[in-house]
Every structure is written in C-alpha cells, then in structure tokens.
Amino acid sequence: MERKMSSFWGPVTSTTDCCEKNYEYSSYIAEFYNTISTIPTILLALVGLINAYRERFEKRFCILYVTIMALSIGSMLYHATLQRVQQQSDETPMMWEILLYMYILYSPDWHYPRTMPIFLFVYCVIFAIVHSVVRFGIGFKVHYIIICLLCSPRMYKYYIYTDCVPAKRLGKLYAVTLLLAGLCWIGDHVFCKQISSWPINPQGHALWHIFMGFNSYFANTFLMFCRAQQLAWSPKVVHVMGVLPYVKIEKPKRQ
C-alpha cells in the first residue's frame, strides 16, 4: 500500500505488496508488522534446532530448522525493504523448505535412497538460479502450492498410522494452524480494499507469519516423532514448562 513517509530503500520493486501501509512507523521498515511477525518463527525454529541436536536426531532435521530460520530472516528483509532481491531471499528458502519436507516424508520408502537428495539438491540450485533472473509472480505461488499438495497425502498417512495420542494432537495442531494461516493470507489479499477503510487493520499477513511459524514447528515435531518410531527410538512427546511440545527419544543401546 502507498507510503506515509519517505522511503530509505527507494521505490517498491517486489512483485507483491501486502495490505499494510508502507513506511508508517519508520523510513527504514516498509511493512512494520509483517517484518517483526517473523521473529516468533525464528525463536521456535531455534528451539527445534536445539532439541534436534541435543536428542541426536538425523541431520535432516537440523538442516530443516536452519532453513526455516533462513526463510524467516529472508522474509524479514523482504517486508522491511519491498525490494525484488530481498523478495528472492524469502521465496527461494521457501522452496528449499518444502523440498526438504518432501525428502523427509518420502525418503524412508524410496527405493533408490541416493537419487532423491541429489535430484532435490539439483532442483533447488536450478530454481535459485532461474528465480534470480525471472520474475515468477503468481507462477511461484502455483509452483509452491503444487509441491505442498504432493506432500499432503504422505503427511495424512503418517497421521493415520500413528497411535500415540500426543503425537496425533501435534498433527491436529498442524492442520488447525495451517487453516488459520490460510484464512489470514486469503483475507489479507482478497479483502484488502475493504480492510484499508477499517479504523484498525487486523494485519492478516502478519498473522499468517505467526500461525505458519507454529505450523512449521508442529509439523517438524510430528515428523520427528514419526521418524523416531520408524527407527525404534522409543519417542515420546513432552513439553517445555507444560506448554511447548518437543520429542524426547531413547535410542537402543548398542550390543
């Protein structure tokens, strides 16, 4: 949306400008609420990374959490500047993240285990190069949604084959936060003109960031539980101060 004060970063060059008044609070931050709303995602990913490292999970989960932090920082830069280059620092890690999910979901039953990471890595590199040259716009969103849909059946399969009630609760929290995030994102984009006339902007895109931060944390925790079950690591869901869930495992002792 049009700005109220002068811009430190210059004219908007990104392909997307959300329903928040630009430079309303600072000439250095284009979309204030959309910028600071990525902080919870970074903190949650840091908690997940510490747990994955402490419990000695496979490196794939540590890489996933680092990717989520990179995505959140890229998103922060993008919304602070609304520049095309910074938009790529948001969208490119989004693709890395969803392809990592695809690897984590499908690799246990993949008949050629070495081919999948190589293919996905090459895919990531090619996408990053092409995306740095070509403006995808709506094409990026369609591409991303298609890959998300490819992951959904596998996620549902993991859910129905899990007997642990706390783990199933994680799956439900994942679905609920995804639904709420989607509603916030759609509302912010579809009803922007109406929202602009309201005395208070509900900041739908900022809420999308917050809900998606919890969504990724619940998804990762659920997948860590499922993976630990596959490896017979006796996982159980425990909580930090009775609130934030994480997975604790007990690996079998070597004979």
Side-chain angles (χ1 to χ4, degrees):
M1 294 177 64
E2 64 181 36
R3 64 189 183 217
K4 278 191 171 184
M5 60 176 65
S6 60
S7 161
F8 175 82
W9 305 104
V12 172
T13 58
S14 62
T15 58
T16 303
D17 188 359
C18 299
C19 195
E20 179 181 355
K21 291 180 180 179
N22 297 343
Y23 301 101
E24 187 173 23
Y25 299 100
S26 170
S27 60
Y28 297 98
I29 302 177
E31 297 175 343
F32 179 78
Y33 291 107
N34 289 346
T35 300
I36 65 171
S37 59
T38 60
I39 295 174
T41 306
I42 297 173
L43 296 177
L44 287 168
L46 181 60
V47 171
L49 176 62
I50 292 171
N51 180 57
Y53 180 79
R54 184 184 60 187
E55 295 292 324
R56 295 183 291 121
F57 271 90
E58 294 166 299
K59 291 181 180 178
R60 64 187 70 181
F61 291 105
C62 290
I63 295 172
L64 177 60
Y65 282 116
V66 170
T67 301
I68 291 172
M69 285 192 280
L71 164 60
S72 301
I73 294 170
S75 180
M76 186 179 291
L77 293 173
Y78 160 47
H79 288 290
T81 64
L82 291 181
Q83 298 298 298
R84 183 192 173 197
V85 173
Q86 280 72 26
Q87 182 178 3
Q88 292 169 352
S89 70
D90 174 31
E91 293 179 348
T92 300
M94 283 179 68
M95 195 55 54
W96 296 345
E97 179 197 25
I98 195 61
L99 290 174
L100 271 168
Y101 278 125
M102 180 172 282
Y103 172 69
I104 290 170
L105 285 164
Y106 284 98
S107 62
D109 296 328
W110 197 257
H111 295 295
Y112 305 98
R114 293 186 179 180
T115 59
M116 179 177 260
I118 293 173
F119 171 78
L120 294 177
F121 177 78
V122 172
Y123 192 97
C124 286
V125 171
I126 293 174
F127 175 83
I129 294 171
V130 174
H131 192 38
S132 67
V133 178
V134 181
R135 287 195 177 202
F136 286 115
I138 190 66
F140 169 80
K141 296 179 179 66
V142 173
H143 180 217
Y144 183 79
I145 290 172
I146 289 173
I147 298 178
C148 288
L149 291 174
L150 290 174
C151 293
S152 299
R154 190 71 173 185
M155 195 74 168
Y156 180 68
K157 180 182 178 181
Y158 277 28
Y159 175 81
I160 62 176
Y161 279 97
T162 300
D163 296 326
C164 177
V165 174
K168 278 189 173 292
R169 190 177 299 119
L170 288 173
K172 292 175 182 177
L173 287 170
Y174 159 78
V176 170
T177 50
L178 182 62
L179 176 62
L180 292 173
L183 291 174
C184 290
W185 188 90
I186 292 171
D188 188 72
H189 283 262
V190 174
F191 302 107
C192 183
K193 288 184 179 180
Q194 293 87 335
I195 290 172
S196 301
S197 63
W198 294 359
I200 298 177
N201 187 333
Q203 304 300 339
H205 197 84
L207 289 173
W208 148 268
H209 284 164
I210 294 171
F211 281 127
M212 286 305 295
F214 280 97
N215 175 263
S216 62
Y217 182 84
F218 293 139
N220 298 350
T221 308
F222 176 73
L223 290 175
M224 289 167 72
F225 180 91
C226 294
R227 182 57 178 162
Q229 271 195 331
Q230 292 171 350
L231 297 172
W233 286 352
S234 303
K236 59 181 178 179
V237 178
V238 294
H239 295 79
V240 178
M241 300 178 66
V243 179
L244 195 64
Y246 70 96
V247 178
K248 190 172 183 62
I249 61 174
E250 186 176 340
K251 293 184 178 181
K253 294 180 180 180
R254 295 180 180 178
Q255 298 296 328

